């Protein structure tokens, strides 16, 4: 018990001495040992690394999980060392709602068929998002957290210890200056030598840790490349899924906009323009026949050889970009104007489109007929 009391009193004395030294330095009443410029530069770089790592980590978490409540829940699970429960992504939830809607509203109707196709695409998007979040969390967020919760805590602890060693050193210097008697000077000099040795040793330990920030940057750089790679993969998957969906909807006979497709008895909503493309196409005078547009190579050849009908050509405005699937089709750009006409035996969902000396099949659903 006596030993503990003596240690407690000694610790209190050291703490009081450091507090006095720190206060006097603040008021300019005591000298302070300054660290060299290189050491100060290392400290500044370490602080900057820590601050920006925190900001990048937090914002990446927001990117991967925009819902703040969900982020708090995941944080609590991690702190409790429990597995975070699997959560349905927004895309997967939307896919579920669309599939249920199609089932109830009629899976064989144009709207129902389209809902099913879009639901499948959204399901794929949700799965891709889940994979991206998982990969990014492991390859990017985890290393950043490990730095903040591991290396940085060690650096902070050693920096605080260095600060205490410096205060002890400067307090020893002050006592040596105030010592008058030879015995007091000898004692103060001995204390100063010990304090200087401990300060130098701690400064070296701290310096080595601070120089290790360079390795941290290299590691974070590698993690950043992995994050970009996973993000690139994710967006590429999304693009492929949406391109497939766009092609399905562009060539399908289901209705994205009811009233502009064949097979819709009455439009469920007003058409895009006062003139329905399908209705107009059905009543357009037919020109000379083109046998069958079976093979893309033959179709392209025959289309070039067939002249447009003397009457029945129309101007049309393109509603959306369209990427030609093969050489028999004409690629389209939104808002451009082209000439269109129909030929006997053609699928009613398609017209022949002309732009300059280029000619090819175009989907009716991508057009607004003007005149």
């Amino acid at each position: 018990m006596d030993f503990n009391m003596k240690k407690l009193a000694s610790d209190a004395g050291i703490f009081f001495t450091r507090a006095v030294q720190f206060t006097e330095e603040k008021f300019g009443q005591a000298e302070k040992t300054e660290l060299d410029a290189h050491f100060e530069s290392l400290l500044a770089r370490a602080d900057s690394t820590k601050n920006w790592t925190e900001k990048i980590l937090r914002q990446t978490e927001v990117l991967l999980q925009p819902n703040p409540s969900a982020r708090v829940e995941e944080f609590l699970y991690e702190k409790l060392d429990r597995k975070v429960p699997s959560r349905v992504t927004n895309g997967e939830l939307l896919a579920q709602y669309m599939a249920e809607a199609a089932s109830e509203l009629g899976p064989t109707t144009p709207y129902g068929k389209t809902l099913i196709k879009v639901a499948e695409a959204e399901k794929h998007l949700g799965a891709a998002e889940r994979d991206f979040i998982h990969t990014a969390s492991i390859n990017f967020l985890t290393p950043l957290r490990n730095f903040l919760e591991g290396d940085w805590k060690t650096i902070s602890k050693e920096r605080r210890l260095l600060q205490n060693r410096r205060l002890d050193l400067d307090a020893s210097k002050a006592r040596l200056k105030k010592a008058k008697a030879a015995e007091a000077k000898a004692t103060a000099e001995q204390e100063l030598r010990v304090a200087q040795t401990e300060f130098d040793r701690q400064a070296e330990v701290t310096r080595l840790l601070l120089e290790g920030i360079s390795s941290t940057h290299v590691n974070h750089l590698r993690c950043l490349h992995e994050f970009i790679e996973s993000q690139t993969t994710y967006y590429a998957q999304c693009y492929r899924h949406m391109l497939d969906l766009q092609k399905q909807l562009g060539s399908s006979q289901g209705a994205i906009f009811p009233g502009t497709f064949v097979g819709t008895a009455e439009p469920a909503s007003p058409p895009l323009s006062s003139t329905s493309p399908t209705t107009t196409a059905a009543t357009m005078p037919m020109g000379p026949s083109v046998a069958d547009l079976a093979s893309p190579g033959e179709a392209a050849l025959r289309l070039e050889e067939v002249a447009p009908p003397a009457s029945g050509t129309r101007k049309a405005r393109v509603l959306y970009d369209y990427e030609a699937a093969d050489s028999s089709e004409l690629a389209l750009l939104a808002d451009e104007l082209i000439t269109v006409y129909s030929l006997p035996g053609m699928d009613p969902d398609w017209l022949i489109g002309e732009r300059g000396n280029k000619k090819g099949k175009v989907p009716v659903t991508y057009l607004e007929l003007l005149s």
Side-chain angles (χ1 to χ4, degrees):
M1 183 67 179
D2 291 341
F3 172 78
N4 290 339
M5 288 300 295
K6 288 179 180 180
K7 185 176 184 304
L8 182 62
S10 176
D11 291 344
I14 293 173
F15 176 80
F16 178 75
T17 302
R18 290 171 180 169
V20 170
Q21 177 66 27
F22 181 79
T23 303
E24 290 179 348
E25 288 175 358
K26 288 297 182 182
F27 286 98
Q29 299 172 352
E31 294 182 3
K32 176 182 177 181
T33 299
E34 298 293 343
L35 300 169
D36 62 74
H38 176 63
F39 201 101
E40 291 289 356
S41 175
L42 291 175
L43 288 172
R45 186 177 65 154
D47 287 333
S48 182
T49 299
K50 179 258 186 181
N51 292 335
W52 284 112
T53 299
E54 283 184 330
K55 290 181 179 181
I56 292 172
L57 173 66
R58 300 292 173 252
Q59 192 56 39
T60 306
E61 289 176 334
V62 172
L63 173 69
L64 299 180
Q65 179 49 265
N67 188 332
S69 300
R71 290 201 304 273
V72 171
E73 181 183 352
E74 291 173 359
F75 174 78
L76 293 176
Y77 272 101
E78 289 176 3
K79 289 301 178 182
L80 296 174
D81 198 21
R82 296 176 60 184
K83 183 179 180 182
V84 179
S86 178
R87 183 179 285 106
V88 176
T89 63
N90 292 328
E92 291 171 324
L93 187 59
L94 177 59
Q96 178 184 334
Y97 289 164
M98 286 184 168
E100 292 175 356
S103 177
E104 185 171 333
L105 299 176
T108 59
T109 65
Y111 183 40
K113 290 179 179 179
T114 303
L115 277 174
I116 292 173
K117 292 179 180 179
V118 177
E120 188 65 22
E122 293 296 336
K123 182 179 178 181
H124 290 312
L125 293 178
E129 180 185 3
R130 181 190 301 280
D131 291 341
F132 168 56
I133 292 174
H134 178 71
T135 303
S137 297
I138 294 176
N139 295 339
F140 189 58
L141 293 185
T142 297
L144 298 187
R145 288 197 190 98
N146 288 343
F147 165 71
L148 293 172
E149 297 175 2
D151 294 351
W152 182 252
K153 285 187 176 180
T154 301
I155 291 174
S156 299
K157 177 183 175 182
E158 297 302 328
R159 285 177 67 176
R160 288 193 298 269
L161 190 54
L162 177 63
Q163 171 75 347
N164 291 336
R165 294 288 181 262
R166 187 198 60 76
L167 290 171
D168 293 342
L169 174 62
D170 289 336
S172 298
K173 291 178 179 179
R175 281 195 296 270
L176 179 60
K177 285 185 177 181
K178 295 176 182 178
K180 301 298 182 181
E183 184 178 349
K185 279 188 175 182
T187 303
E189 288 175 351
Q190 177 62 25
E191 291 178 351
L192 178 58
R193 283 193 293 271
V194 173
Q196 184 70 58
T197 300
E198 291 182 348
F199 172 77
D200 292 342
R201 183 186 300 115
Q202 185 58 37
E204 180 64 15
V205 170
T206 308
R207 182 184 65 79
L208 291 174
L209 289 173
L210 293 174
E211 289 177 345
I213 291 294
S214 296
S215 299
T216 298
H217 286 185
V218 172
N219 183 45
H220 287 184
L221 175 62
R222 177 183 57 80
C223 296
L224 182 60
H225 277 282
E226 292 181 355
F227 173 70
I228 294 304
E229 183 178 348
S230 63
Q231 198 170 31
T232 301
T233 300
Y234 167 58
Y235 286 123
Q237 289 174 336
C238 292
Y239 175 75
R240 285 197 299 271
H241 292 316
M242 295 311 298
L243 192 61
D244 290 343
L245 176 63
Q246 186 182 45
K247 288 182 178 179
Q248 289 181 47
L249 298 183
S251 61
S252 70
Q253 295 189 15
I256 304 177
F257 299 101
T260 64
F261 286 79
V262 175
T264 328
E266 295 181 1
S269 61
L272 278 175
S273 64
S274 57
T275 306
S276 169
T278 304
T279 305
T280 308
T283 58
M284 285 172 58
M286 302 307 235
S289 172
V290 177
D292 55 52
L293 305 176
S295 91
E298 295 176 358
L301 177 61
R302 292 173 183 173
L303 286 175
E304 292 297 330
E305 294 175 345
V306 173
S311 61
T313 59
R314 304 288 297 273
K315 288 293 184 182
R317 183 175 69 87
V318 178
L319 298 174
Y320 323 100
D321 290 350
Y322 177 74
E323 183 177 351
D326 53 52
S327 58
S328 71
E329 297 180 5
L330 182 66
L332 303 174
L333 294 175
D335 294 326
E336 72 171 328
L337 296 178
I338 62 173
T339 301
V340 296
Y341 53 89
S342 181
L343 297 174
M346 282 188 63
D347 186 328
D349 285 340
W350 294 82
L351 293 172
I352 303 300
E354 288 188 357
R355 183 201 307 109
N357 59 354
K358 294 185 178 180
K359 183 186 301 184
K361 295 190 300 179
V362 293
V364 173
T365 55
Y366 280 68
L367 305 175
E368 177 186 5
L369 296 175
L370 301 177
S371 62

